[in-house]
Amino acid sequence: MRADLVLRNACISQRSEVIDIAIRDGLIVEMRPEIRCHAVEEEDVDGKFAFAGFVDSHIHLDKACILERCSICEGTLEEAVRETARAKAGFSEEDVYERASALVRQAIVHGTNRMRTFVEIDPRAGMRSFEAIKRVRERYAFAIDIEICAFAQEGLTQEPETEDMLDEALRAGADLIGGCPYTDHRPEEHVRRIFALAKRHDVDVDFHLDFHLDPARTDLPAVIEATRANGYGGRVTIGHVTNLSALGPADRSAVGRKIAEAGIALTVLPATDLFLMGHGHVSNIPRGIAPAHLLSADGVRTAIATNNVLNPFTPFGDASLARMANLYANVMQLSRDADIDHVFQMVSGQAAAIMRAQYGLRIGGPADIVVLDAADPLSAVRSSAATLAGWKAGRKTFVRPKARILES
């Protein structure tokens, strides 16, 4: 057998022994211990954990890293929307391209090789951010697959021109459409119009939904009904839904079953939801994160993602999904091995499934591989494991040598 590259001594999920991974023409051609072949190149990963890379199913590249342009006084969602709207009116295409590129480079080095980014399209942002993110998608295609969601952050029905702009973006290269009913004066009509655009262009839908802590105030029933009416089961994702964190176990499970039966997936955003929820409480401050691991038990497809980085929605972050998984597990007080492993799946394979993307290390599959400084998924989550190296279609895309202590 001939190979372009053989990775030696890798640990992978569901295998107790270390194995070798042989790669040819961008594909995995063999996975087993002690492969003997003619290889152009070999690399020993020294028993570290190899997997198909992190998948960030919900991030906002266009408005990342704008803290110095905004004021944060209240730390509320309303303030974040208002401050970002003010800032984005001044975004240029080059400005968005440079900020988004810097964050994508961070994500790549942190082991992410697939992401879904929302891009705000409305009269304030125009098409500038969209054009910039298309350039970013093309520039970094060697290392990461970027899916663009044309997004109506500030409502739809009150600004008819936004609907036309979303339609234009879907004709010009956007991969799916996103809505935000809670910022619209007519949320049900907002949902209806987003689905109409999705069906017109045959694309998936991703809503920001119920971003508060009041279970009685919800746009979820409208999304569930529209998903069923349009035959869109398996093609709809909802993000945040923080009011689910305020429900008791029985009520939460009942809602979870309805979400699952409709074929709707859920992405939770721990850093943003922790930061924005619970203001006004002076004690027993709620965490405000929908318990994705519990909703999974009700059949909901779930993921954990970054959302925002260094802006009024989330004035922290570095696009590390290992850190985000660790944050979620810590805040949710998880300790069982099965729960920790599930958290890892929510930033890898399950997130890919929500994006309807092929994923995993398998013979005949793409050689998209990331090596972590960990032995397995459990230690990766528990330690926020650092990345050591990554490959996309068999091409090495980054390297981060393990730190060494220099003794005298």
Side-chain angles (χ1 to χ4, degrees), residues 194-230:
I194 291 294
F195 270 99
L197 283 166
K199 290 201 75 173
R200 183 183 308 163
H201 295 275
D202 190 24
V203 297
D204 291 1
V205 178
D206 201 325
F207 286 104
H208 290 43
L209 205 64
D210 291 359
F211 203 0
H212 50 76
L213 295 175
D214 182 2
R217 180 163 57 94
T218 174
D219 296 313
L220 179 57
V223 173
I224 290 174
E225 176 56 33
T227 300
R228 288 175 172 155
N230 288 282

Side-chain angles (χ1 to χ4, degrees), residues 172-195:
D175 299 292
L176 71 160
I177 189 166
C180 192
Y182 62 77
T183 60
D184 202 304
H185 300 309
R186 301 165 61 197
E188 290 190 13
E189 178 63 12
H190 181 109
V191 171
R192 188 194 70 78
R193 294 187 186 186
I194 291 294
F195 270 99

Side-chain angles (χ1 to χ4, degrees), residues 284-297:
N284 289 327
I285 299 171
R287 299 174 181 135
I289 302 175
H293 63 293
L294 298 177
L295 290 158
S296 292

Side-chain angles (χ1 to χ4, degrees), residues 95-394:
D95 164 49
V96 175
Y97 176 80
E98 291 298 331
R99 287 185 290 101
S101 293
L103 189 58
V104 166
R105 288 194 295 269
Q106 278 191 292
I108 291 167
V109 172
H110 286 307
T112 296
N113 56 28
R114 182 177 293 275
M115 66 169 49
R116 172 181 291 177
T117 182
F118 293 80
V119 179
E120 295 184 21
I121 295 175
D122 55 38
R124 283 154 299 288
M127 304 297 281
R128 300 184 301 277
S129 294
F130 177 58
E131 293 300 326
I133 299 304
K134 284 199 295 182
R135 290 170 54 198
V136 173
R137 177 173 64 181
E138 182 178 0
R139 168 67 180 83
Y140 293 97
F142 73 94
I144 188 169
D145 297 316
I146 299 178
E147 191 176 87
I148 298 176
C149 181
F151 180 49
Q153 167 72 78
E154 297 176 52
L156 189 60
T157 66
Q158 64 267 47
E159 287 185 326
E161 56 267 51
T162 297
E163 190 169 355
D164 293 336
M165 295 172 72
L166 292 170
D167 189 58
E168 178 185 347
L170 289 166
R171 290 195 306 270
D175 299 292
L176 71 160
I177 189 166
C180 192
Y182 62 77
T183 60
D184 202 304
H185 300 309
R186 301 165 61 197
E188 290 190 13
E189 178 63 12
H190 181 109
V191 171
R192 188 194 70 78
R193 294 187 186 186
I194 291 294
F195 270 99
L197 283 166
K199 290 201 75 173
R200 183 183 308 163
H201 295 275
D202 190 24
V203 297
D204 291 1
V205 178
D206 201 325
F207 286 104
H208 290 43
L209 205 64
D210 291 359
F211 203 0
H212 50 76
L213 295 175
D214 182 2
R217 180 163 57 94
T218 174
D219 296 313
L220 179 57
V223 173
I224 290 174
E225 176 56 33
T227 300
R228 288 175 172 155
N230 288 282
Y232 249 57
R235 302 189 66 178
V236 178
T237 305
I238 52 178
H240 299 293
V241 204
T242 49
N243 64 353
L244 292 177
S245 69
L247 289 172
D251 290 337
R252 182 193 61 239
S253 187
V255 174
R257 288 193 296 272
K258 290 178 182 178
I259 295 171
E261 288 165 4
I264 296 172
L266 167 69
T267 301
V268 299
L269 300 315
T272 300
D273 298 348
L274 274 172
F275 178 72
L276 290 177
M277 293 297 101
H279 289 276
H281 293 255
V282 295
S283 62
N284 289 327
I285 299 171
R287 299 174 181 135
I289 302 175
H293 63 293
L294 298 177
L295 290 158
S296 292
D298 296 312
V300 182
R301 294 174 300 133
T302 55
I304 296 167
T306 297
N307 196 44
N308 281 290
V309 174
L310 300 177
N311 68 15
F313 292 87
T314 322
F316 310 99
D318 59 358
S320 167
L321 284 175
R323 187 179 67 84
M324 201 59 62
N326 175 277
L327 174 64
Y328 178 90
N330 201 334
V331 169
M332 292 298 181
Q333 301 174 324
L334 303 182
S335 59
R336 296 189 313 146
D337 286 359
D339 289 335
I340 300 297
D341 183 72
H342 184 64
V343 168
F344 186 85
Q345 294 305 316
M346 286 194 283
V347 292
S348 54
Q350 284 197 191
I354 285 175
M355 294 172 63
R356 301 205 291 154
Q358 291 189 355
Y359 181 88
L361 302 184
R362 65 189 184 280
I363 295 173
D368 298 346
I369 303 169
V370 169
V371 177
L372 300 179
D373 189 11
D376 52 38
L378 303 182
S379 57
V381 173
R382 288 181 168 131
S383 67
S384 300
T387 50
L388 297 175
W391 291 261
K392 186 73 172 170

